[in-house]
Amino acid sequence: MLKNLKNFVTDSMAIDMGTANTIIAVKGRGVVLDEPSLVAVNEMTDEIVAYGREAADMSGREGRDLTVVAPLIGGVVGDFERTKRMLSHFVKTAKTGGKNVALQAVMSIVSDVTHVEQRALTNAADDAGIGKIFLMEEGLAAAFGAGVLPSDKRAAAVVDIGAATTNIAFVAKGSIIFSTSDRHGSNAINESLATHLRRHRGIQVGEETTELLKTKFASAYLPDDISKTVEVRGRDVQTRSPAAVEITSGEVYPIVEGIVRRIAERIKDSLTELRPEVAADIYDRGVILTGGGALLDGIDKYLRSYINLPVTIADEPRYATVNGLVKMFEDHELLDRVSLSELRVLQNAEPHFEV
Ligand SMILES: Nc1ncnc2c1ncn2[C@@H]1O[C@H](COP(=O)(O)OP(=O)(O)OP(=O)(O)O)[C@@H](O)[C@H]1O
Ligand SMILES: [Mg+2]
């Protein structure tokens, strides 16, 4: 098998198709694609007119016939047809040039994904021209990407805070010991901020505004200066006219803290499910954070004081999963062991379509 593979040019691709971002790395080339998981659709013709960043740039300011959709909302293959097209487009963009380049890929899936969803993913991969697809649990990929070694006998805890899901995994000897996922991630902060502004400040704001507020102004710890202000703009709820309000860091903090506390509680609960030896390992090593949600200012500090254990943020937390996936191509035996069963692409299960 291995010998055969060497005779062909094969792109080995790692795909982390998240609700918010799709990240693709190619063995030997590192991360080659990092784009929002969005498509812009012409409502009249149902055609996709833009993908990824280009679609994101249209978001919130769409024309009459155009909508920007996130086909994966909820962390699963929600809008199958559009997910397929989006994946095909990204794979094509990421691929090394040349027609006769064979393609194998490893993709991550959340641990509670159903068989139907798993099938939909392998199907989508088939349509994207991927000859061979491996599926791997996200928690394991994130752990390997965060530097946990597959040979390590001692247990490690990895918490991936994505846009729509928080995935908590305990890993030892290259396998998952226990994992749990909550369909609640960093985007819950954006939603809470938008709700607060609408209800209490009478202003409706868009996704771009809440994202800026979260990433540039908010923090997971009580700010030293709670009277620091920032202006947010949007639409007045009552008059429907353009409007702006000033919001203070003291007002933003409890909103953010509410969501971060929920994540902290989930981690704390999961820590009570461990066997004594595993608990002992985690007591020493603490918890590693991955995913974009780990970039929230001070989240490590907050979690550290909540669970009373060391908490560290992985290098390049947004790329931990994809980095872990791409590492699998260095060790085919490990790849075969960790990838989930029923992996063969369902050949010709669906008619092929061109992108
Ligand atoms: N600097 C930052 N501060 C706070 N949050 C951030 C920052 N950068 C990114 N995020 C948040 O991280 C989330 C995206 O993370 P990530 O790319 O890991 O999600 P995903 O893998 O697409 O989602 P999921 O795993 O839930 O399907 C978004 O909610 C985004 O707002
Ligand atoms: Mg993710």
Side-chain angles (χ1 to χ4, degrees):
M1 178 66 207
L2 267 179
K3 220 169 150 197
N4 272 347
L5 274 177
K6 276 184 192 146
N7 295 331
F8 296 96
V9 184
T10 305
D11 246 358
S12 299
M13 211 177 252
I15 307 171
D16 172 17
M17 192 167 64
T19 341
N21 300 291
T22 298
I23 299 165
I24 299 183
V26 173
K27 187 187 169 194
R29 287 166 59 207
V31 173
V32 294
L33 183 135
D34 177 357
E35 300 232 16
S37 302
L38 294 173
V39 295
V41 181
N42 180 327
E43 287 205 323
M44 307 298 282
T45 61
D46 212 34
E47 260 175 314
I48 295 177
V49 296
Y51 296 89
R53 191 150 298 115
E54 202 189 327
D57 287 342
M58 301 172 175
S59 179
R61 297 187 186 86
E62 297 103 313
R64 252 179 314 179
D65 303 338
L66 203 81
T67 47
V68 176
V69 282
L72 277 153
I73 281 300
V76 294
V77 188
D79 185 338
F80 184 45
E81 200 54 39
R82 284 168 184 160
T83 301
K84 268 205 310 206
R85 285 173 189 268
M86 185 175 75
L87 181 65
S88 288
H89 174 85
F90 287 150
V91 165
K92 231 163 112 182
T93 310
K95 222 174 137 174
T96 313
K99 257 198 181 148
N100 297 320
V101 180
L103 203 57
Q104 61 171 346
V106 56
M107 252 174 122
S108 58
I109 55 169
V110 290
S111 28
D112 63 348
V113 77
T114 64
H115 271 281
V116 175
E117 288 160 352
Q118 212 179 106
R119 226 157 211 259
L121 264 184
T122 45
N123 246 317
D126 185 28
D127 276 6
I130 298 168
K132 196 167 179 212
I133 180 88
F134 300 90
L135 298 180
M136 187 177 162
E137 276 195 54
E138 186 184 65
L140 204 53
F144 294 157
V148 174
L149 295 175
S151 56
D152 199 340
K153 287 196 196 102
R154 293 170 65 225
V158 178
V159 177
D160 183 275
I161 307 169
T165 33
T166 296
N167 195 53
I168 305 171
F170 297 91
V171 173
K173 280 188 266 176
S175 313
I176 299 228
I177 305 171
F178 167 68
S179 83
T180 169
S181 84
D182 185 18
R183 298 213 161 169
H184 222 95
S186 179
N187 270 10
I189 297 175
N190 303 46
E191 283 151 28
S192 271
L193 287 169
T195 306
H196 171 87
L197 286 165
R198 195 180 66 240
R199 285 211 193 126
H200 302 286
R201 305 300 303 274
I203 190 165
Q204 251 182 319
V205 295
E207 174 58 27
E208 213 175 278
T209 303
T210 52
E211 186 70 10
L212 273 174
L213 205 51
K214 176 175 79 173
T215 57
K216 302 274 185 264
F217 189 70
S219 64
Y221 56 85
L222 189 65
D224 293 335
D225 177 11
I226 55 165
S227 58
K228 201 170 121 196
T229 60
V230 68
E231 188 184 68
V232 288
R233 292 170 220 138
R235 190 174 78 171
D236 189 285
V237 172
Q238 237 127 57
T239 67
R240 301 177 72 82
S241 301
V245 297
E246 296 238 305
I247 184 166
T248 65
S249 50
E251 189 178 347
V252 166
Y253 171 71
I255 301 162
V256 175
E257 197 266 344
I259 306 296
V260 176
R261 191 179 348 112
R262 187 191 153 114
I263 293 172
E265 276 163 7
R266 280 299 286 236
I267 300 174
K268 203 168 190 175
D269 286 349
S270 70
L271 289 167
T272 64
E273 308 265 331
L274 307 175
R275 289 207 309 272
E277 290 307 327
V278 175
D281 291 342
I282 305 302
Y283 183 83
D284 281 343
R285 298 177 96 175
V287 170
I288 308 168
L289 302 181
T290 63
L295 293 168
L296 177 72
D297 188 26
I299 195 165
D300 50 340
K301 193 167 142 191
Y302 183 96
L303 295 175
R304 207 172 292 138
S305 73
Y306 199 96
I307 61 174
N308 242 319
L309 291 175
V311 174
T312 51
I313 301 172
D315 288 341
E316 298 190 308
R318 295 182 61 247
Y319 290 168
T321 300
V322 84
N323 284 339
L325 290 171
V326 83
K327 271 186 195 167
M328 293 302 100
F329 292 118
E330 288 162 18
D331 186 345
H332 274 264
E333 234 168 79
L334 181 66
L335 178 59
D336 278 337
R337 183 165 71 75
V338 299
S339 54
L340 300 168
S341 52
E342 282 196 82
L343 301 180
R344 284 307 109 98
V345 175
L346 308 162
Q347 296 288 354
N348 307 322
E350 292 243 325
H352 221 81
F353 72 89
E354 294 297 312
V355 283

